[in-house]
């Protein structure tokens, strides 16, 4: 008997989720049980989720479909960085620097994961101030299989944390496209480590945190009622504007505008583009945090905008230069993915097509004309695509978002008011939302530009940003990593 007792105790206490975690305190009625199933199907709150609910739920834990969907989406978003972005950027640099890009993507993935576990997730998604979260979830303490109702009633918080980690990984990885072929590996890691605390964590909390200053959808006390479905401000604007500052601090590559610096493998670039496109469905549709109708709309709008932008960019090349390039198709696709990101869960199919056309035109001229006029060396057009595209997408979201697509934007007339009704967002959708978007755009640019300038100057003073000229001529692969991407037979 003692053996049975000990075995039972070991099983109970070794399980990450004890059985009593999900047992109701009292048996719910048949009506309540049916209502809970309806809530699961509709991705809404159970009766037991309300404050001071007297009876728990028989399905008080996560929803299997939500967890399965979001684990898949998390893998897709990681797929965007490794190998998607790594191959996309890797194909665009010269052969002597291809491994340096892969190493930077891998290094950033490891570093950001450590910071996320340490305190990053907590600073973004725990309660705190309107500008930064607290330390409740430091070391991922308490982040287990139970849902965090601040963000989802049916998704395990550990799955949510891992999904958001993938966003945190790819954001600084985007920056390396602007500084490719000339920045020290150590400087990349130090810059990114500090940048996460100065730029990413605060902006992500302000836009997505439950008490964030600019979280118009979910914070009833938001002062700036902006919206960003999947990361136009949080991901693309922060990385793109920071990339511009950093590439200016680094200066031009040796031989800039004097030597041909063509991509060494458009095949790798094309493969990377395809992987990014596929992974972006996890990025955009996954941001609904459930396999529901909003996710379906984000999936569709992502497809439409991306395909239209890719075609538009290449056709502009065809008209202006006489040849549509594979690089043009790839750049247009990434541009479309960037611009649709903040709007994908809020716009109609026609709105997505409008975004696609605009995404094919504006970043095209930013990459082909603006860079030449201003003379900065943005090696792989991170600023032209991500900063310009992200800013454009955030603004277009204010013009094209509609409550007919996303009920979270509806004005509540009767019953409990949703946060968008309380803070006034629902009243300005379709009218003056673009003004709130401009406020969020301005704040994001200030954080990214000022923060990156200070961090870059400090890193340059302490360890230096740029590799030595002789290393740059020979290549980063052999000198920074002791390897070569291609060994002639």
């Amino acid at each position: 008997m003692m053996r049975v007792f000990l075995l039972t105790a070991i099983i109970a206490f070794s399980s990450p989720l004890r059985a009593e975690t999900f047992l109701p305190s009292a048996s719910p009625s048949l009506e309540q049980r049916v209502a809970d199933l309806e809530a699961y199907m509709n991705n809404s709150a159970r009766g037991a989720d309300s404050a001071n609910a007297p009876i728990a739920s028989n399905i008080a834990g996560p929803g299997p479909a939500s967890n399965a969907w979001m684990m898949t989406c998390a893998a897709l978003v990681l797929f965007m960085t490794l190998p998607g972005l790594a191959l996309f950027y890797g194909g665009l640099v010269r052969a002597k620097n291809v491994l340096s890009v892969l190493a930077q993507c891998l290094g950033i993935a490891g570093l950001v994961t450590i910071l996320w576990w340490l305190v990053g997730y907590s600073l973004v998604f725990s309660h705190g101030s309107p500008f930064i979260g607290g330390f409740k979830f430091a070391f991922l303490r308490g982040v287990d299989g139970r849902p965090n109702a601040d963000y989802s009633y049916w998704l395990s918080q550990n799955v949510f944390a891992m999904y958001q980690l993938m966003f945190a990984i790819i954001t600084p990885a985007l920056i390396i496209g602007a500084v490719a072929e000339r920045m020290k590996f150590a400087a990349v890691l130090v810059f990114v480590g500090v940048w996460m605390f100065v730029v990413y964590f605060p902006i992500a909390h302000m836009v997505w945190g439950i008490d964030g200053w600019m979280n118009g959808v979910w914070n009833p006390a938001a002062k700036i009622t902006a919206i960003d479905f999947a990361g136009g401000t949080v991901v693309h604007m922060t990385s793109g504007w920071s990339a511009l500052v950093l590439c200016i601090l680094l200066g031009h590559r040796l031989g800039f505008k004097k030597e041909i610096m063509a991509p060494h493998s458009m095949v790798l670039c094309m493969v990377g583009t395809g992987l990014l496109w596929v992974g972006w469905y996890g990025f955009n549709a996954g941001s609904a945090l459930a396999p529901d109708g909003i996710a379906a709309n984000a999936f569709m709008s992502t497809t439409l905008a991306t395909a239209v932008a890719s075609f538009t960019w290449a056709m502009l090349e065809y008209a202006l230069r006489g040849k549509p390039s594979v690089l043009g198709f790839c750049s247009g696709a990434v541009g479309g993915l960037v611009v649709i990101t903040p709007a994908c869960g809020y716009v109609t199919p026609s709105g997505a097509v409008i975004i696609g056309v605009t995404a094919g035109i504006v970043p095209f001229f930013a990459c082909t004309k603006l860079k030449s006029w201003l003379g900065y060396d943005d090696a792989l057009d991170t600023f032209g695509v991500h900063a310009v595209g992200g800013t454009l997408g955030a603004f277009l979201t204010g013009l094209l978002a509609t409550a007919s697509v996303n009920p979270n934007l509806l004005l509540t007339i009767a019953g409990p008011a949703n946060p968008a009704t309380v803070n006034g967002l629902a009243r300005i959708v379709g009218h003056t939302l673009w003004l709130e978007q401009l406020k969020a755009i301005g704040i994001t640019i200030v954080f990214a530009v000022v923060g990156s300038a200070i961090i870059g100057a400090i890193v340059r003073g302490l360890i230096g940003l740029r590799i030595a000229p002789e290393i740059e001529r020979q290549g980063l692969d052999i000198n920074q990593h002791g390897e070569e991407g291609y060994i002639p037979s």
Side-chain angles (χ1 to χ4, degrees):
M1 189 68 182
M2 181 61 71
R3 292 179 180 177
V4 174
F5 174 78
L6 289 175
L7 181 59
T8 303
I10 291 171
I11 294 173
F13 283 95
S14 64
S15 174
L17 291 175
R18 300 180 190 175
E20 63 265 24
T21 299
F22 299 133
L23 287 178
S25 58
S27 297
S29 65
L30 177 61
E31 291 78 8
Q32 289 168 322
R33 294 167 66 184
V34 172
D36 283 348
L37 289 174
E38 291 176 344
Y40 178 36
M41 295 302 295
N42 293 320
N43 192 29
S44 58
R46 316 163 182 80
D49 290 319
S50 61
N52 303 318
I55 298 178
S57 171
N58 278 355
I59 47 173
S66 294
N67 270 4
W69 165 247
M70 293 309 300
M71 285 188 283
T72 301
C73 288
L76 285 171
V77 180
L78 179 61
F79 194 58
M80 292 171 64
T81 305
L82 302 170
L85 185 70
L87 292 178
F88 177 73
Y89 278 172
L92 291 174
V93 298
R94 288 168 287 182
K96 61 184 179 181
N97 297 316
V98 59
L99 291 184
S100 70
V101 171
L102 309 188
Q104 288 164 5
C105 287
L106 286 164
I108 288 171
L111 173 62
V112 171
T113 298
I114 294 169
L115 297 180
W116 198 247
W117 160 77
L118 183 68
V119 74
Y121 173 71
S122 190
L123 291 177
V124 176
F125 290 107
S126 72
H127 285 262
S129 74
F131 308 102
I132 194 70
F135 297 98
K136 178 182 180 181
F137 301 128
F139 303 102
L140 295 181
R141 182 176 56 249
V143 179
D144 53 25
R146 293 167 292 187
N148 179 346
D150 284 341
Y151 302 100
S152 174
Y153 295 107
W154 298 103
L155 177 64
S156 292
Q157 187 175 195
N158 48 19
V159 176
F160 175 76
M162 292 301 96
Y163 176 69
Q164 296 296 341
L165 166 62
M166 306 315 172
F167 282 72
I169 287 173
I170 196 171
T171 303
L174 294 171
I175 297 174
I176 65 176
V179 299
E181 303 192 305
R182 62 197 190 278
M183 189 168 176
K184 293 179 179 178
F185 183 72
V188 169
L189 295 183
V190 173
F191 178 89
V192 167
V194 180
W195 185 86
M196 295 298 293
F197 287 93
V198 175
V199 178
Y200 185 81
F201 296 155
I203 291 294
H205 179 77
M206 283 190 274
V207 175
W208 289 336
I210 192 62
D211 53 358
W213 193 39
M214 300 188 288
N215 188 348
V217 178
W218 298 115
N219 180 11
K223 300 303 181 183
I224 296 176
T225 55
I227 60 177
D228 183 356
F229 191 79
T233 50
V234 177
V235 176
H236 300 295
M237 284 191 63
T238 58
S239 61
W241 285 95
S242 296
L244 175 66
V245 171
L246 196 53
C247 79
I248 291 173
L249 286 175
L250 275 165
H252 299 153
R253 288 168 291 174
L254 296 178
F256 179 66
K257 290 189 175 181
K258 297 177 182 177
E259 301 174 8
I260 296 176
M261 298 182 179
H264 90 279
S265 176
M266 280 308 304
V267 173
L268 288 184
C269 177
M270 170 55 198
V271 171
T273 301
L275 297 178
L276 282 168
W277 190 336
V278 171
W280 223 293
Y281 289 117
F283 198 89
N284 284 0
S287 291
L289 301 183
D292 59 10
I294 296 175
N297 190 83
F299 189 99
M300 179 175 64
S301 62
T302 298
T303 304
L304 292 171
T306 306
V308 170
S310 177
F311 186 77
T312 300
W313 188 304
M315 292 305 103
L316 276 173
E317 286 188 332
Y318 209 169
L320 299 175
R321 301 176 178 177
K323 295 179 181 179
S325 69
V326 171
L327 179 58
F329 279 111
C330 292
S331 299
V334 175
L337 290 163
V338 168
V339 180
I340 193 61
T341 292
C344 58
Y346 301 123
V347 298
T348 64
S350 295
V353 171
I354 292 171
I355 286 175
V357 173
T358 310
I361 295 173
V362 177
F364 171 83
F365 284 103
C367 294
T368 59
K369 299 297 181 182
L370 183 63
K371 181 168 71 171
S372 177
W373 292 339
L374 299 182
Y376 56 86
D377 185 11
D378 177 5
L380 309 181
D381 289 318
T382 299
F383 175 75
V385 173
H386 294 277
V388 173
T391 305
L392 175 66
F395 179 70
L396 290 176
T397 301
L399 297 178
L400 299 172
T402 172
S404 66
V405 168
N406 192 320
N408 294 311
L409 303 180
L410 285 172
L411 181 64
T412 305
I413 305 299
N418 64 10
T421 297
V422 177
N423 61 33
L425 168 62
R427 294 177 179 85
I428 63 174
V429 171
H431 302 288
T432 59
L433 175 58
W434 61 274
L435 289 173
E436 297 299 298
Q437 297 298 104
L438 284 178
K439 295 176 186 177
I441 287 169
I443 291 167
T444 303
I445 292 174
V446 169
F447 258 83
V449 170
V450 175
S452 297
I454 294 172
I455 300 167
I458 292 173
V459 175
R460 183 169 61 181
L462 291 176
I463 64 173
L465 289 172
R466 187 159 181 160
I467 57 176
E470 58 272 18
I471 293 178
E472 186 172 346
R473 292 190 183 94
Q474 190 173 1
L476 277 70
D477 290 359
I478 192 66
N479 287 284
Q480 294 270 287
H481 306 289
E483 301 169 301
E484 294 183 78
Y486 307 99
I487 300 176
S489 57

